């Protein structure tokens, strides 16, 4: 584990939210947001409304900016996000998670909780000088965010789809190269 479980979870959900707006779009309806809530083990308030969906989807540009920022810019963005939300970090425990940090009440709007949890996670990333773990997908036709939590920092693609597409292209290029030399 590179970071604590709550930091990794917040980073994974932020990347999924940002990438969920790229083709193929995976978060576009209230039902999609419900699935996102469950998949990323969020707790607390859920309104299940179109307005909530719009607020959450409206976070994508800010989260993309944060996740792709240089270290100094990211620190400024984190400070601004936490101040705007009136974040007050507290240790909490609720099953199945052990002690971890929440910085806004569980009845805060879902979009606020996502933004603050991402900002709190980025504190660890910035302090550990690990922003290189967040990059843009190596696929030239993709702008998805890559969160590389691997030990050897080898992840280059945002999804299996991008990885497979590039592996197939490389395979075809090798075959074409072999055919032209024969």
């Amino acid at each position: 584990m590179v970071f604590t479980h709550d930091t990794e979870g917040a980073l994974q959900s932020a990347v999924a939210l940002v990438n969920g707006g790229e083709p193929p779009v995976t978060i576009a309806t209230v039902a999609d947001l419900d699935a996102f809530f469950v998949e990323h083990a969020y707790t607390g308030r859920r309104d299940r409304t179109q307005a909530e969906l719009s607020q959450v989807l409206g976070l994508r540009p800010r989260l993309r900016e944060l996740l792709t920022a240089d270290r100094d810019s990211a620190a400024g963005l984190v400070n601004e996000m936490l101040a705007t939300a009136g974040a007050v970090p507290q240790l909490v425990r609720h099953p199945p998670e052990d002690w971890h940090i929440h910085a806004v009440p569980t009845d805060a709007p879902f979009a606020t909780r996502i933004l603050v949890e991402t900002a709190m996670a980025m504190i660890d990333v910035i302090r550990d000088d690990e922003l290189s773990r967040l990059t843009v997908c190596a696929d030239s036709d993709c702008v998805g965010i890559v969160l590389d939590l691997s030990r050897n920092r080898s992840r280059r693609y945002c999804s299996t789809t991008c990885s497979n597409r590039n592996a197939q292209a490389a395979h075809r290029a090798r075959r074409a190269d072999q055919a032209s030399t024969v």
Side-chain angles (χ1 to χ4, degrees), residues 66-153:
L66 176 61
L67 296 172
T68 59
D70 63 66
R71 191 173 187 214
D72 291 341
S73 298
L77 290 168
V78 164
N79 288 338
E80 179 262 320
M81 290 172 176
L82 294 175
T84 300
V88 179
Q90 302 174 48
L91 285 170
V92 296
R93 180 169 49 193
H94 51 81
E97 301 296 330
D98 198 3
W99 289 107
H100 59 283
I101 298 174
H102 281 204
V104 291
T106 57
D107 63 348
F110 188 34
T112 301
R113 293 194 333 267
I114 291 170
L115 189 69
V116 170
E117 287 183 18
T118 304
M120 293 295 294
M122 287 299 291
I123 289 172
D124 288 344
V125 175
I126 294 164
R127 288 177 45 184
D128 290 344
D129 197 12
E130 292 284 356
L131 271 86
S132 64
R133 292 190 176 275
L134 290 159
T135 59
V136 176
C137 186
D139 184 317
S140 61
D141 295 328
C142 182
V143 295
I145 303 291
V146 177
L147 172 60
D148 186 356
L149 297 175
S150 67
R151 185 180 303 201
N152 64 358
R153 300 173 187 255

Coordinates of all heavy atoms in Angstrom, one line a residue, residues 66-153:
L66 N -6.9 19.6 -10.2 CA -6.1 19.2 -9.0 C -5.3 18.0 -9.3 O -4.1 18.0 -8.9 CB -7.1 18.9 -7.9 CG -6.5 18.4 -6.6 CD1 -5.5 19.4 -6.0 CD2 -7.6 18.1 -5.6
L67 N -5.8 17.0 -9.9 CA -5.1 15.7 -10.1 C -4.0 15.9 -11.1 O -3.1 15.0 -11.2 CB -6.1 14.6 -10.5 CG -7.1 14.3 -9.5 CD1 -8.1 13.3 -10.1 CD2 -6.5 13.7 -8.2
T68 N -4.0 16.9 -12.0 CA -2.9 17.1 -13.0 C -2.0 18.3 -12.7 O -1.1 18.6 -13.5 CB -3.5 17.2 -14.4 OG1 -4.4 18.3 -14.4 CG2 -4.3 16.0 -14.8
A69 N -2.2 18.9 -11.5 CA -1.4 20.1 -11.2 C 0.0 19.7 -10.7 O 0.2 18.6 -10.3 CB -2.2 20.9 -10.1
D70 N 0.9 20.7 -10.9 CA 2.2 20.5 -10.3 C 2.0 20.7 -8.8 O 1.0 21.1 -8.2 CB 3.2 21.5 -10.8 CG 2.8 23.0 -10.5 OD1 2.9 23.4 -9.3 OD2 2.5 23.7 -11.5
R71 N 3.1 20.4 -8.0 CA 3.0 20.3 -6.6 C 2.6 21.6 -5.9 O 1.7 21.6 -5.0 CB 4.4 19.8 -6.0 CG 4.4 19.5 -4.6 CD 5.7 18.9 -4.2 NE 5.6 18.4 -2.8 CZ 6.7 18.4 -2.0 NH1 7.8 18.9 -2.4 NH2 6.6 18.0 -0.8
D72 N 3.2 22.7 -6.3 CA 2.8 24.0 -5.7 C 1.4 24.4 -6.0 O 0.7 24.9 -5.2 CB 3.8 25.1 -6.1 CG 5.2 24.9 -5.5 OD1 5.3 24.1 -4.5 OD2 6.2 25.5 -6.1
S73 N 1.0 24.2 -7.3 CA -0.4 24.6 -7.7 C -1.3 23.7 -6.9 O -2.4 24.1 -6.5 CB -0.5 24.4 -9.2 OG 0.3 25.3 -9.9
A74 N -1.0 22.4 -6.8 CA -1.9 21.5 -6.1 C -2.1 21.9 -4.7 O -3.2 21.8 -4.1 CB -1.4 20.0 -6.2
A75 N -1.0 22.3 -4.0 CA -1.1 22.7 -2.6 C -2.1 23.9 -2.5 O -2.9 24.0 -1.6 CB 0.2 23.1 -2.1
G76 N -2.0 24.9 -3.4 CA -2.9 26.0 -3.4 C -4.3 25.6 -3.6 O -5.2 26.1 -3.0
L77 N -4.5 24.7 -4.6 CA -5.9 24.2 -4.8 C -6.5 23.5 -3.6 O -7.7 23.7 -3.3 CB -5.9 23.3 -6.1 CG -5.6 24.0 -7.4 CD1 -5.4 23.0 -8.5 CD2 -6.8 24.9 -7.8
V78 N -5.7 22.7 -3.0 CA -6.1 22.0 -1.8 C -6.5 22.9 -0.7 O -7.6 22.8 -0.1 CB -5.1 21.0 -1.3 CG1 -5.3 20.5 0.1 CG2 -4.9 19.8 -2.2
N79 N -5.7 23.9 -0.5 CA -6.0 24.9 0.6 C -7.3 25.7 0.3 O -8.1 25.9 1.2 CB -4.8 25.9 0.7 CG -3.6 25.3 1.4 OD1 -3.8 24.2 2.1 ND2 -2.5 25.8 1.2
E80 N -7.5 26.0 -1.0 CA -8.7 26.8 -1.4 C -9.9 25.9 -1.2 O -10.9 26.3 -0.7 CB -8.5 27.3 -2.8 CG -9.7 28.0 -3.4 CD -10.6 27.1 -4.2 OE1 -10.1 26.3 -5.0 OE2 -11.8 27.3 -4.1
M81 N -9.8 24.6 -1.6 CA -11.0 23.7 -1.6 C -11.4 23.5 -0.1 O -12.6 23.5 0.2 CB -10.6 22.4 -2.2 CG -10.5 22.5 -3.7 SD -9.9 20.9 -4.4 CE -10.0 21.3 -6.2
L82 N -10.4 23.3 0.7 CA -10.7 23.0 2.1 C -11.2 24.2 2.8 O -12.2 24.1 3.6 CB -9.4 22.5 2.9 CG -8.9 21.1 2.4 CD1 -7.6 20.8 3.1 CD2 -9.9 20.0 2.6
A83 N -10.7 25.4 2.5 CA -11.2 26.6 3.2 C -12.6 26.9 2.7 O -13.5 27.3 3.5 CB -10.3 27.8 2.8
T84 N -12.9 26.8 1.4 CA -14.2 27.0 0.9 C -15.3 26.1 1.5 O -16.4 26.5 1.8 CB -14.2 26.9 -0.6 OG1 -13.3 27.8 -1.2 CG2 -15.6 27.1 -1.2
A85 N -14.9 24.9 1.8 CA -15.8 23.9 2.4 C -15.9 24.0 3.9 O -16.7 23.3 4.5 CB -15.4 22.5 2.0
G86 N -15.0 24.8 4.5 CA -15.0 24.9 6.0 C -14.6 23.6 6.6 O -15.2 23.2 7.6
A87 N -13.7 22.9 6.0 CA -13.3 21.6 6.5 C -12.6 21.7 7.8 O -11.8 22.5 8.2 CB -12.3 21.0 5.5
V88 N -13.1 20.7 8.7 CA -12.5 20.5 10.0 C -12.2 19.1 10.2 O -13.1 18.2 10.5 CB -13.5 21.0 11.1 CG1 -12.9 20.8 12.5 CG2 -13.9 22.4 10.9
P89 N -11.0 18.7 9.9 CA -10.6 17.2 10.0 C -10.9 16.6 11.4 O -10.6 17.2 12.4 CB -9.1 17.2 9.7 CG -8.9 18.5 9.0 CD -9.8 19.5 9.6
Q90 N -11.4 15.4 11.3 CA -11.7 14.6 12.5 C -11.5 13.1 12.2 O -11.7 12.7 11.1 CB -13.2 14.7 12.9 CG -13.7 16.1 13.1 CD -15.2 16.1 13.3 OE1 -15.7 15.3 14.1 NE2 -15.9 17.0 12.6
L91 N -11.0 12.4 13.2 CA -10.9 11.0 13.1 C -12.3 10.3 13.3 O -12.9 10.7 14.3 CB -9.9 10.4 14.1 CG -8.4 10.7 13.7 CD1 -7.5 10.3 14.9 CD2 -8.1 9.9 12.5
V92 N -12.7 9.4 12.4 CA -14.0 8.7 12.6 C -13.8 7.3 12.3 O -12.8 6.9 11.6 CB -15.0 9.3 11.6 CG1 -15.4 10.8 12.0 CG2 -14.6 9.2 10.2
R93 N -14.7 6.5 12.8 CA -14.6 5.0 12.5 C -16.1 4.6 12.3 O -16.9 4.9 13.1 CB -14.0 4.3 13.7 CG -13.9 2.8 13.4 CD -13.1 2.0 14.4 NE -13.4 2.4 15.8 CZ -12.6 2.0 16.8 NH1 -11.5 1.3 16.6 NH2 -13.0 2.3 18.0
H94 N -16.3 3.9 11.2 CA -17.6 3.3 10.9 C -17.3 2.0 10.1 O -16.4 2.0 9.2 CB -18.5 4.3 10.2 CG -17.9 4.9 8.9 ND1 -17.8 4.3 7.7 CD2 -17.3 6.1 8.8 CE1 -17.2 5.1 6.9 NE2 -16.9 6.2 7.5
P95 N -18.0 1.0 10.4 CA -17.8 -0.3 9.7 C -18.0 -0.1 8.2 O -18.9 0.6 7.8 CB -18.9 -1.2 10.3 CG -19.3 -0.6 11.6 CD -19.1 0.9 11.4
P96 N -17.2 -0.8 7.4 CA -16.1 -1.7 7.8 C -14.8 -1.1 7.9 O -13.8 -1.7 8.1 CB -16.1 -2.7 6.6 CG -16.4 -1.8 5.4 CD -17.4 -0.8 5.9
E97 N -14.7 0.3 7.9 CA -13.4 1.0 7.9 C -13.0 1.2 9.4 O -13.8 1.4 10.3 CB -13.5 2.3 7.2 CG -13.9 2.2 5.8 CD -12.8 1.5 4.9 OE1 -11.6 1.6 5.3 OE2 -13.2 0.9 3.9
D98 N -11.7 1.2 9.6 CA -11.1 1.6 10.9 C -11.0 3.1 10.9 O -11.5 3.8 10.1 CB -9.7 0.9 11.0 CG -9.3 0.8 12.5 OD1 -10.0 1.3 13.4 OD2 -8.2 0.4 12.7
W99 N -10.2 3.6 11.8 CA -10.1 5.1 12.0 C -9.5 5.7 10.7 O -8.6 5.2 10.1 CB -9.1 5.4 13.1 CG -9.7 5.1 14.5 CD1 -9.4 4.1 15.3 CD2 -10.7 5.8 15.1 NE1 -10.1 4.1 16.4 CE2 -11.0 5.2 16.4 CE3 -11.5 7.0 14.8 CZ2 -11.9 5.7 17.3 CZ3 -12.4 7.4 15.7 CH2 -12.6 6.8 16.9
H100 N -10.2 6.7 10.3 CA -9.8 7.5 9.1 C -10.3 8.9 9.3 O -11.0 9.3 10.2 CB -10.3 6.9 7.8 CG -11.7 6.7 7.7 ND1 -12.4 5.7 8.4 CD2 -12.7 7.4 7.1 CE1 -13.7 5.9 8.1 NE2 -13.9 6.9 7.3
I101 N -9.9 9.8 8.3 CA -10.3 11.2 8.5 C -11.5 11.6 7.6 O -11.6 11.2 6.4 CB -9.1 12.1 8.0 CG1 -7.9 11.8 8.9 CG2 -9.4 13.6 8.1 CD1 -6.6 12.5 8.5
H102 N -12.4 12.3 8.2 CA -13.5 13.0 7.6 C -13.3 14.5 7.9 O -12.9 14.8 9.0 CB -14.9 12.6 8.1 CG -15.3 11.3 7.5 ND1 -16.7 11.0 7.4 CD2 -14.7 10.2 7.0 CE1 -16.8 9.7 6.9 NE2 -15.6 9.3 6.6
A103 N -13.5 15.3 7.0 CA -13.3 16.7 7.2 C -14.6 17.6 7.1 O -14.6 18.8 7.4 CB -12.2 17.3 6.3
V104 N -15.7 17.0 6.7 CA -17.0 17.6 6.7 C -18.0 16.6 7.2 O -17.8 15.4 7.2 CB -17.4 18.1 5.3 CG1 -16.5 19.2 4.8 CG2 -17.4 16.9 4.3
P105 N -19.1 17.1 7.7 CA -20.1 16.2 8.3 C -20.7 15.2 7.3 O -20.7 15.5 6.1 CB -21.2 17.1 8.8 CG -20.6 18.5 8.8 CD -19.5 18.5 7.9
T106 N -21.2 14.1 7.7 CA -21.7 13.1 6.8 C -23.0 13.6 6.2 O -23.4 13.0 5.2 CB -22.0 11.8 7.5 OG1 -22.9 12.0 8.6 CG2 -20.7 11.1 8.0
D107 N -23.6 14.6 6.7 CA -24.8 15.1 6.0 C -24.5 16.3 5.1 O -25.4 16.9 4.5 CB -25.9 15.6 7.1 CG -25.4 16.7 8.0 OD1 -24.2 17.0 8.0 OD2 -26.3 17.3 8.7
A108 N -23.2 16.6 4.9 CA -22.9 17.6 3.9 C -23.2 17.0 2.5 O -23.3 15.8 2.3 CB -21.3 17.9 3.9
P109 N -23.5 17.9 1.5 CA -23.8 17.4 0.2 C -22.7 16.5 -0.4 O -21.5 16.7 -0.1 CB -23.9 18.7 -0.7 CG -24.2 19.8 0.3 CD -23.5 19.4 1.6
F110 N -23.1 15.5 -1.1 CA -22.2 14.5 -1.7 C -21.1 15.2 -2.4 O -19.9 14.8 -2.3 CB -23.0 13.5 -2.5 CG -22.2 12.3 -3.0 CD1 -21.3 11.7 -2.2 CD2 -22.5 11.7 -4.2 CE1 -20.6 10.6 -2.6 CE2 -21.8 10.6 -4.6 CZ -20.9 10.1 -3.9
A111 N -21.4 16.1 -3.2 CA -20.3 16.8 -4.0 C -19.3 17.5 -3.1 O -18.1 17.4 -3.4 CB -20.9 17.9 -5.0
T112 N -19.7 18.0 -2.0 CA -18.8 18.6 -1.1 C -17.9 17.6 -0.4 O -16.7 17.8 -0.3 CB -19.6 19.4 0.0 OG1 -20.4 20.4 -0.6 CG2 -18.6 20.0 1.1
R113 N -18.5 16.4 -0.1 CA -17.7 15.4 0.5 C -16.7 14.8 -0.4 O -15.6 14.6 0.0 CB -18.7 14.3 1.1 CG -19.5 14.8 2.2 CD -20.2 13.7 3.0 NE -20.6 12.5 2.4 CZ -21.7 12.3 1.8 NH1 -22.7 13.2 1.7 NH2 -22.0 11.1 1.3
I114 N -17.1 14.7 -1.7 CA -16.1 14.2 -2.7 C -15.0 15.2 -2.8 O -13.8 14.8 -2.8 CB -16.8 14.0 -4.1 CG1 -17.8 12.8 -4.0 CG2 -15.7 13.7 -5.2 CD1 -18.7 12.7 -5.3
L115 N -15.3 16.4 -3.0 CA -14.2 17.5 -3.1 C -13.3 17.5 -1.9 O -12.1 17.5 -2.1 CB -14.9 18.8 -3.4 CG -14.0 19.9 -3.8 CD1 -13.4 19.7 -5.2 CD2 -14.7 21.3 -3.7
V116 N -13.9 17.5 -0.7 CA -13.0 17.6 0.5 C -12.2 16.3 0.7 O -11.0 16.4 1.0 CB -13.9 17.9 1.7 CG1 -13.1 17.7 3.0 CG2 -14.4 19.3 1.6
E117 N -12.8 15.1 0.4 CA -12.1 13.9 0.6 C -10.9 13.8 -0.4 O -9.8 13.4 -0.1 CB -13.0 12.7 0.4 CG -13.9 12.5 1.6 CD -14.7 11.3 1.6 OE1 -14.5 10.3 0.8 OE2 -15.7 11.2 2.3
T118 N -11.1 14.3 -1.6 CA -10.1 14.3 -2.6 C -9.0 15.3 -2.2 O -7.8 15.0 -2.2 CB -10.6 14.7 -4.0 OG1 -11.6 13.8 -4.4 CG2 -9.5 14.7 -5.0
A119 N -9.4 16.5 -1.7 CA -8.4 17.5 -1.2 C -7.6 16.9 -0.1 O -6.3 17.0 0.0 CB -9.1 18.7 -0.8
M120 N -8.3 16.2 0.9 CA -7.6 15.6 2.0 C -6.6 14.5 1.5 O -5.5 14.4 2.1 CB -8.6 15.0 3.0 CG -9.4 16.1 3.7 SD -8.5 17.2 4.8 CE -8.0 16.0 6.0
A121 N -7.0 13.8 0.6 CA -6.1 12.7 0.0 C -4.9 13.4 -0.6 O -3.7 12.9 -0.5 CB -6.8 11.8 -1.0
M122 N -5.1 14.4 -1.3 CA -4.0 15.1 -2.0 C -3.0 15.7 -1.0 O -1.8 15.9 -1.4 CB -4.5 16.2 -3.0 CG -5.2 15.6 -4.2 SD -4.1 14.6 -5.2 CE -3.0 15.9 -5.9
I123 N -3.4 16.0 0.2 CA -2.4 16.4 1.2 C -1.3 15.4 1.3 O -0.2 15.7 1.4 CB -3.1 16.7 2.6 CG1 -4.0 17.9 2.5 CG2 -2.1 16.8 3.7 CD1 -4.9 18.2 3.7
D124 N -1.7 14.1 1.5 CA -0.7 13.0 1.6 C 0.2 13.0 0.3 O 1.4 12.8 0.4 CB -1.4 11.7 1.8 CG -2.0 11.6 3.2 OD1 -1.6 12.4 4.1 OD2 -2.8 10.6 3.4
V125 N -0.5 13.1 -0.8 CA 0.3 13.0 -2.1 C 1.3 14.1 -2.2 O 2.5 13.9 -2.5 CB -0.7 13.0 -3.3 CG1 0.1 13.1 -4.6 CG2 -1.6 11.8 -3.3
I126 N 0.9 15.3 -1.8 CA 1.8 16.5 -1.9 C 2.9 16.4 -0.8 O 4.1 16.6 -1.1 CB 1.0 17.8 -1.7 CG1 0.0 18.0 -2.9 CG2 1.9 19.0 -1.5 CD1 -1.1 19.0 -2.6
R127 N 2.5 16.0 0.4 CA 3.5 15.9 1.5 C 4.6 14.9 1.2 O 5.7 15.0 1.5 CB 2.8 15.6 2.8 CG 2.1 16.8 3.3 CD 1.3 16.5 4.6 NE 2.2 15.7 5.5 CZ 1.8 15.2 6.7 NH1 0.6 15.4 7.1 NH2 2.6 14.5 7.4
D128 N 4.1 13.8 0.5 CA 5.1 12.7 0.2 C 5.7 12.9 -1.1 O 6.5 12.1 -1.6 CB 4.3 11.3 0.2 CG 3.9 10.9 1.5 OD1 4.4 11.4 2.5 OD2 3.0 10.0 1.6
D129 N 5.4 14.0 -1.8 CA 6.0 14.4 -3.1 C 5.8 13.2 -4.1 O 6.7 12.8 -4.8 CB 7.5 14.8 -3.0 CG 8.0 15.5 -4.2 OD1 7.1 15.9 -5.1 OD2 9.2 15.6 -4.4
E130 N 4.6 12.8 -4.2 CA 4.2 11.6 -5.0 C 3.3 12.0 -6.1 O 2.5 11.1 -6.6 CB 3.6 10.5 -4.1 CG 4.5 9.9 -3.2 CD 5.4 8.9 -3.8 OE1 5.3 8.6 -5.0 OE2 6.3 8.3 -3.1
L131 N 3.3 13.2 -6.6 CA 2.4 13.6 -7.7 C 2.7 12.9 -9.0 O 1.8 12.8 -9.9 CB 2.4 15.1 -7.9 CG 1.4 15.9 -7.1 CD1 1.9 16.2 -5.7 CD2 0.9 17.1 -7.8
S132 N 3.9 12.2 -9.1 CA 4.2 11.5 -10.3 C 3.3 10.2 -10.4 O 3.2 9.6 -11.4 CB 5.7 11.1 -10.3 OG 5.9 10.2 -9.2
R133 N 2.6 9.9 -9.3 CA 1.6 8.8 -9.4 C 0.3 9.1 -10.1 O -0.5 8.3 -10.4 CB 1.4 8.3 -8.0 CG 2.6 7.6 -7.4 CD 2.3 6.9 -6.1 NE 3.5 6.2 -5.6 CZ 3.9 5.0 -6.0 NH1 3.2 4.3 -6.9 NH2 4.9 4.4 -5.4
L134 N 0.2 10.4 -10.4 CA -1.0 10.9 -11.1 C -0.5 11.5 -12.5 O 0.2 12.4 -12.5 CB -1.7 12.0 -10.3 CG -2.4 11.5 -9.1 CD1 -2.7 12.6 -8.1 CD2 -3.7 10.8 -9.5
T135 N -1.0 10.8 -13.6 CA -0.6 11.3 -14.9 C -1.7 11.2 -15.8 O -2.8 10.7 -15.5 CB 0.6 10.4 -15.5 OG1 0.2 9.1 -15.5 CG2 1.9 10.5 -14.6
V136 N -1.5 11.7 -17.0 CA -2.6 11.5 -18.1 C -2.2 10.2 -18.9 O -1.1 9.9 -19.1 CB -2.6 12.8 -19.0 CG1 -3.5 12.6 -20.2 CG2 -2.9 14.0 -18.2
C137 N -3.3 9.6 -19.3 CA -3.1 8.3 -20.0 C -2.1 8.4 -21.2 O -2.1 9.4 -21.9 CB -4.5 7.9 -20.6 SG -4.5 6.3 -21.3
A138 N -1.3 7.4 -21.4 CA -0.3 7.4 -22.4 C -0.9 7.1 -23.8 O -0.2 7.3 -24.8 CB 0.8 6.3 -22.2
D139 N -2.2 6.8 -23.9 CA -2.9 6.6 -25.2 C -3.1 8.0 -25.8 O -3.6 8.9 -25.2 CB -4.2 5.9 -25.0 CG -5.0 5.6 -26.2 OD1 -5.0 6.5 -27.2 OD2 -5.5 4.5 -26.3
S140 N -2.6 8.2 -27.0 CA -2.6 9.5 -27.6 C -4.0 10.0 -27.9 O -4.2 11.2 -28.1 CB -1.8 9.5 -28.9 OG -2.3 8.6 -29.8
D141 N -5.0 9.1 -27.9 CA -6.4 9.5 -28.1 C -7.2 9.6 -26.9 O -8.4 9.7 -26.9 CB -7.1 8.5 -29.1 CG -6.4 8.5 -30.5 OD1 -6.0 9.6 -30.9 OD2 -6.4 7.5 -31.1
C142 N -6.5 9.6 -25.7 CA -7.2 9.6 -24.4 C -6.7 10.7 -23.5 O -5.5 11.0 -23.5 CB -7.1 8.2 -23.8 SG -8.0 8.1 -22.2
V143 N -7.6 11.3 -22.7 CA -7.2 12.3 -21.7 C -7.5 11.8 -20.3 O -7.5 12.6 -19.4 CB -7.8 13.6 -22.0 CG1 -7.3 14.2 -23.3 CG2 -9.3 13.6 -22.0
G144 N -7.8 10.5 -20.1 CA -8.1 9.9 -18.8 C -6.9 10.1 -17.9 O -5.8 10.2 -18.3
I145 N -7.2 10.1 -16.6 CA -6.2 10.3 -15.5 C -5.8 8.9 -15.1 O -6.6 7.9 -15.0 CB -6.8 11.0 -14.3 CG1 -7.4 12.4 -14.7 CG2 -5.8 11.1 -13.2 CD1 -6.3 13.4 -15.1
V146 N -4.5 8.7 -14.9 CA -3.9 7.4 -14.4 C -3.5 7.6 -13.0 O -2.7 8.5 -12.7 CB -2.7 7.0 -15.3 CG1 -2.1 5.7 -14.8 CG2 -3.1 6.9 -16.7
L147 N -4.0 6.8 -12.1 CA -3.5 6.7 -10.7 C -2.7 5.5 -10.6 O -3.2 4.3 -10.7 CB -4.7 6.6 -9.8 CG -4.3 6.4 -8.3 CD1 -3.4 7.5 -7.8 CD2 -5.6 6.3 -7.5
D148 N -1.4 5.6 -10.5 CA -0.4 4.5 -10.4 C -0.1 4.2 -9.0 O 0.8 4.9 -8.4 CB 0.8 4.8 -11.3 CG 1.7 3.6 -11.4 OD1 1.4 2.6 -10.8 OD2 2.7 3.7 -12.1
L149 N -0.7 3.2 -8.4 CA -0.4 2.8 -7.1 C 0.5 1.5 -7.1 O 0.7 0.9 -6.0 CB -1.7 2.5 -6.3 CG -2.6 3.7 -6.1 CD1 -3.9 3.2 -5.5 CD2 -1.9 4.8 -5.3
S150 N 1.1 1.2 -8.2 CA 1.9 0.0 -8.3 C 3.3 0.3 -7.7 O 3.7 1.5 -7.6 CB 2.2 -0.4 -9.8 OG 2.9 0.6 -10.5
R151 N 3.9 -0.7 -7.2 CA 5.2 -0.6 -6.5 C 6.3 -0.1 -7.5 O 7.1 0.8 -7.1 CB 5.6 -1.9 -6.0 CG 6.9 -1.9 -5.1 CD 7.3 -3.2 -4.6 NE 6.2 -3.8 -3.8 CZ 6.4 -4.7 -2.9 NH1 7.5 -5.2 -2.7 NH2 5.3 -5.2 -2.3
N152 N 6.3 -0.5 -8.7 CA 7.3 -0.1 -9.6 C 6.9 1.0 -10.5 O 7.6 1.3 -11.5 CB 7.7 -1.3 -10.5 CG 6.6 -1.9 -11.4 OD1 5.5 -1.4 -11.3 ND2 7.0 -2.9 -12.1
R153 N 5.8 1.6 -10.3 CA 5.3 2.8 -11.0 C 5.3 2.6 -12.5 O 5.7 3.4 -13.3 CB 6.2 4.0 -10.7 CG 6.3 4.4 -9.3 CD 7.3 5.5 -9.1 NE 7.5 5.8 -7.7 CZ 7.0 6.9 -7.1 NH1 6.3 7.8 -7.7 NH2 7.2 7.0 -5.8

